[in-house]
Structure formats: C-alpha cells, structure tokens
C-alpha cells in the first residue's frame, strides 16, 4: 500500500462534528489496508472469495443458510420483499415510520406491486400483535375487494428504539401460523445487539429474512447483507441482478466492509453513550424528546418545544457542527469536542426559544432527516 494512500486516510475523520446521520462515517486506514487482501473474482457468478466469505460470515452470525451482499440497504430490503411475494394482489404490513415504506422511494408498490399497509402503533413506540397487527392485517378470506397480507416488515432499531424481543416472537409465531412471512429491516440491528445484549441470531431466528447494513454505524463505505434460507436467497439474487445490482469484482468492497464489521461493532456503544448524554442534557433543560433514547438517535419535536429549526441550523454552523433539526444521529467517529459543540448549539437554540418562542409549522413527519421548513 502506498504511503500516500495511507497518509490520505490516516487523519482524524471529518465526521467528528457530524450529527446528520451515521452514514457520514468515513473509511479508516484499517479498512483501506484491508484492500491488500482483496480478491478479484466476479461475484455475479459467485466466484469472488472475499464476497463469499463476508456473505457466509454475516449469515453465520444470523444463523441463516446464506447471505447476499448488496450495494445498499434499499436494494437489499426491496429484493427481500419482492422475493417473499409471489402473485398479486397482496399487501405488506409495517410501521408508518418504517424505512421500507417511507424512505425507499416508493419501491414496494413499484417493484413488488404490493399495497403497503401503514400502521401507527397504539403505544407510539412499536407495533404489537394485539393492538396493531391483528386489527390491521388483511386476511386471505376470499373477499375479492382486498389484498391479503403476505408479509410483515419490522424494523430494529426504528428511530433508534429497541424492538422488545418478546413482541417480535409473538408476531413471528402468529404470522408463521397464518402463512405470512416476516422480514426484518435490521439496518441497525448491530446497535440493537449492543444495547440489548441479544445476539444477531437471537433476533434473526424469528424472521424469514434479515437485511443488515454495514455502511451505517459500522462505517463501511458501501454494503448491506441480506440473509435467509438458501433457496430464498437464490431468488433474491435473481431480483438483485434484475435491478442492476450485480457487482463484478466486489472483493474491493467486501474486504473493507468485513474489516469495518470486525473493527467497529463494539464501538457503537460510544455512540450510544453520546446520544444518552445529549438526550439527558436536553431533558435537563426541560426539552421534551419525541422518543426514548435507547441507541444512537435523539429525536426532538422542535415545534412542540418552541425551538426554531432555522435558529438551530444557524447556531450549529456557528459552533461548527452539522445537523438536521429534529433528529440527531450519533456514531463512533463523533468526538468529545463535536458533542460539546453540539450541546452549545442546542443551548443557544433553547435560550433563543425562551426569548422568541417558535410559532411556525411542525416539520413534516416524512422528512425526519431534514427540515422542510422555510429558513427565512
Ligand atoms: C439507511 C437505512 C436503510 C438502507 O439505506 P441505504 O441508504 O439504501 O443503504 C434501510 N433501513 C433503515 C432503517 C435505514 O436507516
């Protein structure tokens, strides 16, 4: 590896002050050095050793037969959903906030011709079998007006919140007894394992398929892995190719992603500690949070707290931190200095809210990752 390349990556990550998303983490020297072991086979014909090894490694962690490396979590989720569905009409049930409904550009109706049934959980936190699934799923009872539910999608973590494993078990057992498949968008299941003490396999055993992201908190530049039974993954791979997701010499991506997994999984705890610290700081100032802080996110309802999103953006700029108002994301590359500056920007925004309470509109829910409010 040339000294120049190492030098290029051997400096503090620019993401130290980055609170917009955990996708802003940057590749490390360790990941770039892993390129020395990159294999050069064509993964479209399953001949890349590093890719096969990463797929097998994640499948083993999840207790599933096979894994499939994808360039994004969106691709992995969408082909997962498509491969569960056989012939329309049908519906897919999920939480109204779930990524597969809200942040995958309408992929489910477009790619799978399925009706998304979007459920607002009664407890505001997570769907339960009794309160949310049973009243909302569509039975296959020959009523030709309806689109029977063939798949339930759960997300863990969702907005940084942990899905109680007992509830997952209940939902999964009921679904399987009723011929309904269950998919987990486990983009941040790594975070859930660190915070809850349950393993990837403890969660995965209740699902027919699980998608796991390596490019969020784990910090890989690219990659998600879909895991499930052999036959199912073969079908998903067919859809992956159809969607233009076949990658030739993917070894250069998978050695980096594998290194990211080895290096950074345990470091998610530092992100959780920073999130908790900022959550407690806000609550100490009387700011109401949208959700409990259980992993790496702090959600603030800006309007409810009379905090002006555009003031926060300006204060963040002043204190040299990057934010999207409403949702603060934490990751292992955040620094003490970054977090302290974030707290200063929040303090200034709170002080301003007392002098000039914000009266403007609430940010649209579906734009949680950025504000769509006028920034006058
Ligand atoms: C980021 C994310 C995904 C996948 O997103 P890509 O940007 O396509 O990799 C899926 N689900 C959740 C919950 C996510 O946060």
């Amino acid at each position: 590896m040339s000294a120049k390349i190492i030098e290029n990556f051997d400096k503090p990550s620019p993401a130290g002050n980055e609170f917009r998303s955990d996708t802003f983490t940057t590749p490390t020297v360790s990941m770039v050095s892993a390129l020395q072991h990159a294999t050069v086979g064509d993964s479209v014909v399953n001949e890349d050793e590093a890719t096969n090894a990463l797929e097998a490694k994640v499948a083993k962690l999840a207790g599933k037969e096979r894994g499939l490396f994808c360039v994004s979590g969106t691709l992995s989720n969408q082909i997962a959903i498509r491969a569960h569905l056989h012939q329309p009409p049908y519906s897919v049930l999920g939480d109204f906030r779930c990524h597969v409904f809200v942040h995958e550009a309408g992929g489910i109706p477009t790619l799978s011709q399925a009706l998304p049934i979007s459920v607002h959980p009664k407890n505001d936190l997570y769907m339960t079998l009794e309160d949310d699934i049973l009243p909302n799923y569509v039975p296959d009872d020959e009523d030709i007006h309806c689109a029977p539910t063939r798949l339930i999608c759960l997300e863990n973590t969702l907005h940084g919140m942990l899905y109680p494993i007992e509830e997952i078990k209940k939902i999964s057992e009921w679904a399987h007894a009723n011929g309904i498949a269950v998919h987990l968008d486990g983009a941040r299941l790594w975070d859930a394992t660190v915070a809850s003490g349950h393993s990837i396999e403890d969660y995965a055993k209740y699902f027919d398929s699980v998608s796991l992201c390596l490019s969020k908190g784990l910090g890989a530049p690219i990659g998600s892995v879909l895991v499930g039974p052999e036959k199912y993954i073969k079908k998903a791979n067919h859809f992956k190719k159809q969607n233009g997701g076949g990658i030739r010499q993917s070894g250069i991506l998978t050695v980096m992603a594998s290194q990211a997994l080895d290096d950074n999984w345990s470091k998610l705890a530092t992100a959780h500690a920073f999130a908790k610290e900022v959550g407690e700081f806000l609550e100490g100032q009387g700011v109401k949070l949208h959700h409990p802080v259980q992993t790496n996110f702090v959600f603030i309802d800006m309007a409810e707290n009379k905090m002006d999103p555009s003031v926060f953006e300006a204060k963040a700029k002043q204190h040299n931190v990057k934010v999207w108002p409403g949702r603060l994301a934490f990751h292992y590359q955040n620094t003490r200095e970054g977090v302290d500056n974030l707290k200063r920007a929040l303090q200034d925004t709170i002080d301003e809210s007392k002098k000039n309470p914000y009266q403007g509109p609430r940010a649209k829910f579906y734009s949680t990752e950025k504000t769509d409010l006028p920034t006058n």
Side-chain angles (χ1 to χ4, degrees), residues 154-173:
L154 304 185
E155 190 173 305
N156 193 16
T157 62
L158 185 153
H159 287 195
M161 293 184 288
L162 297 167
Y163 218 122
I165 202 158
E166 313 75 50
E167 196 59 47
I168 292 175
K169 178 171 187 281
K170 263 166 83 177
I171 293 169
S172 162
E173 284 171 357

Side-chain angles (χ1 to χ4, degrees), residues 225-246:
V225 179
L226 175 66
V227 295
E230 173 84 28
K231 189 165 165 233
Y232 166 83
I233 291 292
K234 267 192 158 162
K235 193 71 203 167
N237 190 33
H238 208 156
F239 289 119
K240 172 180 153 184
K241 189 78 180 84
Q242 184 188 54
N243 284 286

Side-chain angles (χ1 to χ4, degrees), residues 178-193:
N178 286 277
I180 297 173
V182 197
H183 170 71
L184 175 63
D185 178 354
R188 297 189 180 85
L189 194 59
W190 314 106
D191 290 274
T193 64

Side-chain angles (χ1 to χ4, degrees), residues 86-104:
H86 299 292
Q87 187 176 48
Y90 39 51
S91 57
V92 175
L93 186 145
D95 188 299
F96 76 118
R97 300 161 291 192
C98 72
H99 198 275
V100 296
F101 285 0
V102 182
H103 288 127
E104 298 190 4

Side-chain angles (χ1 to χ4, degrees), residues 106-117:
I108 293 178
T110 311
L111 303 170
S112 290
Q113 298 182 39
L115 170 74
I117 299 180

